[in-house]
Amino acid sequence: MMMPMYKTAVCLSVLLLAACGNENKQLESFYKQIELANEKEKPIVETSDKLSRLENEKVQMFEKINKGTLNEIHATAKKLAQNADNRKAVITEEKEAIAASEAAFKKSLPLAKAIADQQNKNEAQDIIDKMEKKYSTHAQLMTAYEDILAKERNIFSYLQQPQPAGQIVNEKIDQLGETTKKFQQLTTVYNNNSKALEKEKKDVVDRLNE
């Protein structure tokens, strides 16, 4: 049973600003607040690494189940359940980091609204649109991943039964596959939006450095 190896696309590059003219001061203030929001996401680099390790451990353990005796299946299923609990804890850490980032991001909204130059205001709005999509998509990602964890726990619990039937296990894995597919689709949306966001940020930096 192969699950998606969840790894959030995080881009925390710092783009240096040259001294900008007075007409761009409002845009600069907005952008600096956006960078503060990005700084709040630094813990996600570590949580992504933790999650990758736990996903790898899960795959290795499930391979043992495919080849193990009934006693080995029961023992490994307990370890898999603990692995799922550990991944749930990591997801909680990531959600907290994103919540802190979004709180900082919201402070940029009045700064964007105060921008007088229309082109600068448009540039700021482009970033806002991508940031809002990032937060909404990430929330959907977390919900989908938690659904994956719930379905995995159901499988691991069943595998601890006295005589788990292979057909039932396969049916549960098929159900899990539908949720996995949704998660993978959301991951693509999230990653594509992250790339678009970095482009919008670069456009702002280029404008500030003109």
Side-chain angles (χ1 to χ4, degrees), residues 2 5 19 21 25 35 49 53 56 66 80 82 89 93 98 102 125 136 140 143 149 157 162 167 170 198-199:
M2 295 294 292
M5 186 169 293
K25 286 293 184 182
E35 286 297 282
D49 288 341
R53 289 196 297 271
N56 286 331
N66 290 334
L80 282 164
Q82 182 60 56
E93 291 179 31
I98 285 290
E102 187 170 12
Q125 188 60 50
S136 64
Q140 294 174 61
T143 298
L149 288 175
S157 176
Q167 181 180 350
N170 289 335
E198 289 307 306
K199 181 182 181 302

Side-chain angles (χ1 to χ4, degrees), residues 152-169:
E152 285 183 347
R153 285 195 187 96
N154 182 268
I155 294 171
F156 303 152
S157 176
Y158 180 73
L159 286 170
Q160 295 178 54
Q161 298 297 313
Q163 292 292 334
Q167 181 180 350
I168 294 178
V169 172

Side-chain angles (χ1 to χ4, degrees), residues 60-81 156 159-162 164:
Q60 292 172 9
M61 284 189 285
F62 205 83
E63 287 175 353
K64 290 182 180 179
I65 281 184
N66 290 334
K67 304 173 184 177
T69 64
L70 187 57
N71 286 337
E72 289 171 338
I73 289 173
H74 289 162
T76 304
K78 290 181 181 179
K79 293 179 181 178
L80 282 164
F156 303 152
L159 286 170
Q160 295 178 54
Q161 298 297 313

Side-chain angles (χ1 to χ4, degrees), residues 22-104:
N22 289 332
E23 71 277 5
N24 287 339
K25 286 293 184 182
Q26 293 170 320
L27 181 60
E28 181 184 18
S29 295
F30 162 79
Y31 185 79
K32 285 182 176 179
Q33 185 61 40
I34 291 296
E35 286 297 282
L36 287 176
N38 288 336
E39 283 289 314
K40 299 293 185 181
E41 296 179 31
K42 278 187 174 180
I44 296 179
V45 175
E46 183 177 350
T47 59
S48 293
D49 288 341
K50 289 180 184 177
L51 209 52
S52 292
R53 289 196 297 271
L54 289 168
E55 287 281 358
N56 286 331
E57 289 174 7
K58 177 194 70 178
V59 171
Q60 292 172 9
M61 284 189 285
F62 205 83
E63 287 175 353
K64 290 182 180 179
I65 281 184
N66 290 334
K67 304 173 184 177
T69 64
L70 187 57
N71 286 337
E72 289 171 338
I73 289 173
H74 289 162
T76 304
K78 290 181 181 179
K79 293 179 181 178
L80 282 164
Q82 182 60 56
N83 175 278
D85 290 342
N86 292 341
R87 282 181 284 136
K88 172 67 174 177
V90 174
I91 286 298
T92 299
E93 291 179 31
E94 179 162 328
K95 289 169 68 174
E96 290 172 352
I98 285 290
S101 173
E102 187 170 12

Side-chain angles (χ1 to χ4, degrees), residues 129-184:
D129 292 344
K130 296 297 185 295
M131 293 283 283
E132 288 178 339
K133 185 172 182 179
K134 176 181 73 172
Y135 295 126
S136 64
T137 306
H138 189 274
Q140 294 174 61
L141 265 176
M142 294 295 95
T143 298
Y145 193 81
E146 287 170 342
D147 193 9
I148 286 173
L149 288 175
K151 286 182 169 62
E152 285 183 347
R153 285 195 187 96
N154 182 268
I155 294 171
F156 303 152
S157 176
Y158 180 73
L159 286 170
Q160 295 178 54
Q161 298 297 313
Q163 292 292 334
Q167 181 180 350
I168 294 178
V169 172
N170 289 335
E171 289 173 357
K172 291 179 180 293
I173 290 175
D174 288 341
Q175 293 171 5
L176 174 62
E178 292 302 313
T179 303
T180 299
K181 185 184 300 183
K182 177 182 177 182
F183 175 83
Q184 291 169 337

